[in-house]
Amino acid sequence: MSYSPYLLKGQKALVTGASSGIGEGIARSLASAGAAVVVNYHSQAQEAQKIVDDIKAANGEAFAIQADVSNEDEVKAMFSQTLKHFGTIDILVNNAGVQKDAPFVDMSLNQWNTVIGINLTGQFLCAREAAKEFLRRGVQPQISSAAGKIIYISSVHEVIPWAGHVNYAASKGGINMLMKSIAQELAPHKIRVNSIAPGAIKTPINKSAWDTPQAEAKLLELIPAKRVGNVEDIAKAAVWLASDESDYVNGTTLFVDGGMTLYPGFADNG
Ligand code: NAP
């Protein structure tokens, strides 16, 4: 996928969980659209550095920062480092997320707290630090008509209940109201806050759901478009939401799911 390198020219972006999957795809795409990018990672330092090296080899600007998004001190340190290096920030993509699945009655408090901590609290902490800088700096019309953009990577499970994954579904349902409430509060300051809700996208987080023909066939029953998504499907939406092309879009969730939220089970039932 190639983008106009002028679309996000001069903009500084931070993508959480950018060492793998959807975050990696978004970091690479924002860079090819002209943004300088912080590649945040938690455990995969080498993968993060490889993404940085690839971006630089294509004449882009990037560097990697290790931080656990559920840890307030580490998030603050990551933003200080970003501002020190880039001077400011224009785009935050709140992408880092994990699954710790268990039947409800067997789910430990640790499994619950880990998923809520990374998927929801982490997204709160990063958004708060980004918003402080957006408010301090305000609009720079030559860079963007917005003072800043925050993009949440939510999930179809912000609306589809998910047995065996109640911590994950609760975290994504929480993101919906977190995103909308922040959008409402910050819109007068020309800050735009939106979510992308992916359906099934081929990444390591859900490998067992698509890595055998039998598993993929079962998954496709849930997808009217009859294909599993790829990271570029999400990255294209993220570039658009980060750009002034979506200037009048605020407080909304863009479902990029091949129709998964269309209740496909009802297509031939009633
Ligand atoms: P992935 O390939 O497993 O990537 C997860 C990323 O999150 C990795 O870069 C990981 O970093 C990072 N991460 C994990 N814990 C972290 C922490 N404490 N602090 C900072 N970063 C952390 O999964 P993915 O599929 O790309 O998922 C990305 C997002 O999309 C998640 O929010 C997920 O819920 C959402 N999503 C995915 C799908 C799908 O079908 N794939 C569907 C809907 C929503 P390290 O590897 O460096 O530790």
Side-chain angles (χ1 to χ4, degrees), residues 80-185:
S80 304
Q81 219 181 319
T82 300
L83 299 188
K84 197 167 161 213
H85 207 90
F86 281 163
T88 190
I89 179 172
D90 306 280
I91 301 159
L92 167 68
V93 183
N94 257 331
N95 164 78
V98 294
Q99 285 181 221
K100 301 282 175 201
D101 309 327
F104 176 54
V105 293
D106 298 332
M107 186 171 284
S108 67
L109 182 59
N110 190 41
Q111 285 171 315
W112 172 267
N113 282 339
T114 301
V115 170
I116 298 295
I118 296 170
N119 296 16
L120 186 58
T121 308
Q123 300 220 8
F124 154 72
L125 290 171
C126 292
R128 191 185 61 182
E129 295 312 303
K132 284 182 197 165
E133 172 60 12
F134 298 161
L135 291 170
R136 182 202 67 76
R137 195 207 56 235
V139 177
Q140 294 175 293
Q142 73 284 10
I143 299 290
S144 172
S145 52
K149 281 89 45 161
I150 299 173
I151 300 165
Y152 285 89
I153 303 303
S154 168
S155 165
V156 289
H157 295 295
E158 76 168 46
V159 293
I160 301 179
W162 206 13
H165 310 257
V166 300
N167 46 1
Y168 185 84
S171 74
K172 298 299 185 178
I175 285 173
N176 185 35
M177 285 312 287
L178 175 65
M179 178 277 289
K180 284 180 188 286
S181 301
I182 298 174
Q184 191 186 58
E185 190 166 334

Side-chain angles (χ1 to χ4, degrees), residues 16-23 40-45 67-70 95-98 118-119 123 153-156 168 172 198-206:
T16 67
S19 52
S20 172
I22 290 172
N40 160 250
Y41 67 96
H42 185 227
S43 59
Q44 301 193 75
D68 175 352
V69 294
S70 67
N95 164 78
V98 294
I118 296 170
N119 296 16
Q123 300 220 8
I153 303 303
S154 168
S155 165
V156 289
Y168 185 84
K172 298 299 185 178
I201 308 297
K202 284 191 179 179
T203 74
I205 207 175
N206 59 359

Side-chain angles (χ1 to χ4, degrees), residues 18 78 86 125 191 196-197 207 230 240 246 253 268-269:
M78 172 167 71
F86 281 163
L125 290 171
I191 295 169
I196 297 170
K207 196 163 185 287
N230 53 54
W240 180 71
S246 59
T253 298
D268 58 359
N269 185 351

